[in-house]
Amino acid sequence: ATLQVYFHLGELPQATWSAVEHALRAGEKASHDFLSPTTLSHLTETANTEAKLSAAANRGGAGKKPSEADLQRALKNKLRELRADASSKWAQGVSQAAMQVWNLHQVLCKKSDPVSRQVYVDVVATSAIPEKFRSSNEAHTAGSGDFSIFAYFWESLCRSIGERLKHILEYDSKKFAPDVAALYPAVRSAVIKMLGSLNEAMQAGLGTLNLEDATASTPTVGSLGGSAALNDSFLQWGAAGESAASSGLGATSADTWTVASKAAGQAQSAGQNGDSNSASLSVIFQSSEWKTLLGDEESCSGLFRLQEAFLIACSGRLCAPLQYMFTENVAVDQDGHTISALPLLPSRYDIQKFESNIQQELSLADPREGGGDLSSVTMIAEMVVAMVAQFCDQARNAVSNAGEDGCLDPNDGSATSALKHDVKVVSIMNAMAEALRNAPEKVFLVPYRPTVTPRLEEAAEMCEKALQGGLLEIDRFVDSLILAPLCKALNRRIASSIARIHLGSYLQAAASAYDPDGESSSFVEKHLSASYEQMSSKLIARIPGEYGSKVAATVAKFSIYAFVSNVALIRPITEPARMHITQDLTDFEFALQQFVTNCSGSGSSEATSMLNQMDNGKPYSELRAARQMLYWTALNDESKGAGPIAKAMLREGWVKDVRPSTACHYLFSYGPSLLSSPHHMKRMRVEDYVLTLVDLNGSVEDGEASAWMTTMACCDSYRQRQSAMQQHGSSASSDGDSRIPSILLTLGPELLRRRRA
């Protein structure tokens, strides 16, 4: 065979690298013809000409002038078609060159000299590598096991493509940069189909060739000699071991590695024109060939510059309308002096423009609409998320920043002008969030119904996941700058109303249980129900989307914790007061559920529309457990010591659902008068002390440690007072249960330990 002749002449390495260089020049020529100013100019001119003809034909004849919208639509379609054809032609040229080198590599790996038994690939591996094929990656020269002329060819070809892209992008002051960037969707799709078709062509020849029969057959046109149908060990896509009967192909000539076979051409055509590749996309994306062709920032080889240009162009189109958003609102008074005013807000048309831009960019990943590949949807969605982040940054200047004190009118609790402005900003952000949520379905599913394929559904899911970052950006913006100050203002008003419970509401509970005038004696109905009704109807109902439900959930959570903490601090609790508090707890739960229901929108989840689902049900569980706590009777047995009582309380089922501060503060109601209440020890109003336990945003974990320190201080103060009275010969007051301080000191550490576990 020819290989054996070259081997004995000592020219096998030179002949091999000459063949590889010949294939490399063919691939470079395909890239040069594709990425040339002439090709790009001709493509644009042809698209414009054909678009005009197509638009005129669709209008019913040459006498009717097509509209600008028709021309733009026709131009878009023609550009997509011509770019796809040009990309496919380029990919076919690269594929043919790659197949020749691949077949040569396989022959070198399998053929050996019959006399010396030396494998031909070892001979090439031990020779010097031409300068043109050298790179920073010299791992292939470690021996025949790692050596691959195909790898050197592929790396050199990718470097050549990267240099060609650099030239055309910078050519004539970047004149063709927009046209080159627009090629990326079609090029990516063609590359994926090319790699898939190469896989098909390689698999088609596996197992079909008997090497001895092939070398004995009549050779076709070739420069060296070998086999095109040997086992695939390099790309690791192999289906080695397939029989000739399964592949449906006969014996292949020994020289076909230098000529694209008919079967390979058919597989190439099927891969380029088909809707999908038989090769798994995950296998293609994990292959070294794809990674090398994609390139990176360090090497800038392959398609890296093309991808970067595409992403820059995509970001530019998405962010173009931002310069007109939240512009400065210049106002003057009657004397002509400039008045500071909040920025102008975008209109509904502006938001619709953003939505249209988002859908147009995502459609570039749709093969039918944009000529791209569905696998690029995540990359484009990341550009959308970056645009949303810039949108939120500009929107920060449009917020009033009135803070907690500027949200509500101090007299009647109505919304101020600053809050009304911020609510409009929330409406804009909600519209943007809806555009992100609806984009995957509108782009990838609606145009294809009812014939939606699994690949389209997968693309829609990928797009939805990728756009979650934009939704999180919007939520963080709204929550931190608008909803958080509003929730704190509402909760402060609720805290003031609940604190009235300590102004003697339950001192005459027995006498006022049944008011002779027929008026209700419920504290909740007198002081809280009206406040919740005003909040839901005049404030929260105006907040769009699920943001109103978030405000209601935060207010409800704070209200539960604040109400239970205030109830636990009531001292003393008589039997009539206990019954009155129980009734108020029931009324409070009903009022809160009605408040949350009224504030819940159509898109609200159960976590924000049901009391027993908020914050994993912890606030609601404490509200229910507080009723059982009120009727705990272990202290009725005066013969028990502090230790057994504390253990009995820890065994109660309701203890696990209440905060340690709630259980400890409730025990103060049974304590002697010498035992100061926690808020008295801190010299604070009850309202202010409760706010140290429950933050205005509804969180409670930060206040538990502080509450326990205060409880220990109260117990220490009690011991000192008791000891002082005994030293002066005075007897301690007999009111209350003297075991309470000891119970508290035993109970508190265990409750905190369980809370932290």
Side-chain angles (χ1 to χ4, degrees), residues 507-525:
L507 292 180
Q508 304 297 329
S512 61
Y514 298 98
D515 197 325
D517 297 333
E519 296 182 0
S520 172
S521 59
S522 171
F523 172 82
V524 174
E525 293 183 5

Side-chain angles (χ1 to χ4, degrees), residues 568-644:
L569 289 170
I570 296 175
R571 186 178 180 184
I573 299 181
T574 61
E575 191 63 27
R578 184 176 288 106
M579 297 179 63
H580 197 177
I581 293 173
T582 304
Q583 180 61 42
D584 276 342
L585 287 172
T586 303
D587 295 341
F588 181 70
E589 179 181 348
F590 177 77
L592 267 187
Q593 184 59 67
Q594 187 176 10
F595 164 72
V596 171
T597 303
N598 293 339
C599 297
S600 300
S602 57
S604 303
S605 60
E606 289 188 0
T608 57
S609 60
M610 298 295 294
L611 282 180
N612 58 357
Q613 299 295 327
M614 293 179 181
D615 198 16
N616 297 323
K618 293 180 180 179
Y620 183 76
S621 297
E622 180 162 340
L623 180 63
R624 303 285 297 207
R627 301 176 188 175
Q628 303 178 42
M629 180 184 68
L630 290 173
Y631 292 94
W632 178 63
T633 58
L635 289 173
N636 293 342
D637 189 353
E638 298 182 356
S639 61
K640 286 186 177 181

Side-chain angles (χ1 to χ4, degrees), residues 218-391:
T218 303
T220 60
V221 179
S223 58
L224 294 180
S227 172
L230 297 176
N231 188 18
D232 180 353
S233 62
F234 176 70
L235 290 180
Q236 300 179 355
W237 289 338
E242 292 185 2
S243 65
S246 64
S247 63
L249 297 174
T252 307
S253 172
D255 285 335
T256 54
W257 60 268
T258 59
V259 180
S261 66
K262 182 178 179 180
Q266 292 174 350
Q268 173 80 7
S269 176
Q272 294 293 340
N273 299 327
D275 292 335
S276 60
N277 294 322
S278 61
S280 172
L281 288 178
S282 61
V283 174
I284 293 176
F285 293 151
Q286 292 173 6
S287 67
S288 60
E289 289 68 41
W290 167 261
K291 296 176 181 177
T292 304
L293 183 57
L294 195 62
D296 52 36
E297 187 175 1
E298 181 179 356
S299 63
C300 291
S301 64
L303 302 176
F304 178 78
R305 287 190 174 92
L306 180 60
Q307 178 175 297
E308 288 297 302
F310 169 75
L311 293 178
I312 292 173
C314 178
S315 177
R317 291 189 296 268
L318 286 169
C319 299
L322 286 177
Q323 57 182 323
Y324 307 109
M325 301 295 106
F326 307 104
T327 55
E328 183 180 359
N329 185 13
V330 179
V332 294
D333 57 13
Q334 57 184 359
D335 297 328
H337 299 110
T338 303
I339 302 175
S340 60
L342 294 172
L344 296 175
L345 300 180
S347 63
R348 182 179 302 177
Y349 170 79
D350 295 328
I351 301 302
Q352 291 176 352
K353 181 63 175 176
F354 273 108
E355 183 176 8
S356 176
N357 287 352
I358 292 172
Q359 295 179 13
Q360 288 179 7
E361 294 303 320
L362 290 175
S363 67
L364 293 177
D366 187 352
R368 190 179 73 175
E369 296 296 327
D373 186 81
L374 293 175
S375 61
S376 62
V377 62
T378 302
M379 177 176 58
I380 300 176
E382 290 175 355
M383 294 295 99
V384 175
V385 173
M387 180 275 294
V388 172
Q390 294 185 37
F391 184 87

Side-chain angles (χ1 to χ4, degrees), residues 25-255:
R25 285 198 299 268
E28 290 177 345
K29 183 178 184 302
S31 300
H32 183 276
D33 294 342
F34 176 51
L35 299 172
S36 66
T38 303
T39 301
L40 295 174
S41 300
H42 178 71
L43 188 148
T44 304
E45 293 172 0
T46 304
N48 283 317
T49 303
E50 295 184 3
K52 292 178 181 178
L53 296 176
S54 176
N58 293 334
R59 294 290 293 180
K64 296 182 179 180
K65 184 178 180 180
S67 64
E68 185 65 24
D70 293 337
L71 283 174
Q72 292 299 325
R73 190 180 304 109
L75 178 60
K76 177 183 176 182
N77 294 334
K78 289 299 178 181
L79 283 173
R80 183 181 67 247
E81 295 174 2
L82 293 176
R83 287 165 180 165
D85 292 342
S87 300
S88 298
K89 182 179 178 181
W90 164 78
Q92 186 175 6
V94 173
S95 177
Q96 291 175 352
M99 277 300 301
Q100 292 177 4
V101 178
W102 169 259
N103 292 333
L104 174 58
H105 170 72
Q106 293 298 293
V107 171
L108 292 174
C109 290
K110 297 301 180 181
K111 294 283 288 184
S112 61
D113 178 58
V115 178
S116 63
R117 299 297 180 183
Q118 188 174 6
V119 181
Y120 292 148
V121 72
D122 293 340
V123 178
V124 179
T126 55
S127 65
I129 300 174
E131 183 68 26
K132 187 171 185 178
F133 295 97
R134 293 180 184 176
S135 65
S136 58
N137 184 10
E138 297 295 339
H140 306 297
T141 62
S144 61
D146 296 326
F147 178 79
S148 171
I149 59 172
F150 183 84
Y152 282 103
F153 161 80
W154 194 257
E155 291 175 3
S156 300
L157 179 62
C158 291
R159 288 198 303 270
S160 174
I161 294 174
E163 293 172 359
R164 186 60 192 172
L165 282 170
K166 179 181 179 181
H167 170 75
I168 193 63
L169 286 171
E170 298 177 355
Y171 181 80
D172 198 4
S173 302
K174 301 183 178 180
K175 175 182 178 180
F176 294 98
D179 295 332
V180 175
L183 289 173
Y184 180 77
V187 169
R188 181 186 176 94
S189 178
V191 165
I192 293 175
K193 292 177 181 178
M194 176 188 68
L195 294 178
S197 63
L198 283 174
N199 175 45
E200 292 176 358
M202 293 172 184
Q203 289 184 2
L206 293 178
T208 65
L209 176 65
N210 182 300
L211 188 57
E212 284 73 15
D213 294 342
T215 56
S217 62
T218 303
T220 60
V221 179
S223 58
L224 294 180
S227 172
L230 297 176
N231 188 18
D232 180 353
S233 62
F234 176 70
L235 290 180
Q236 300 179 355
W237 289 338
E242 292 185 2
S243 65
S246 64
S247 63
L249 297 174
T252 307
S253 172
D255 285 335

Side-chain angles (χ1 to χ4, degrees), residues 2-16 123 127:
T2 308
L3 288 175
Q4 186 175 357
V5 173
Y6 277 117
F7 173 75
H8 286 290
L9 292 175
E11 298 177 0
L12 180 60
Q14 294 84 343
T16 300
V123 178
S127 65

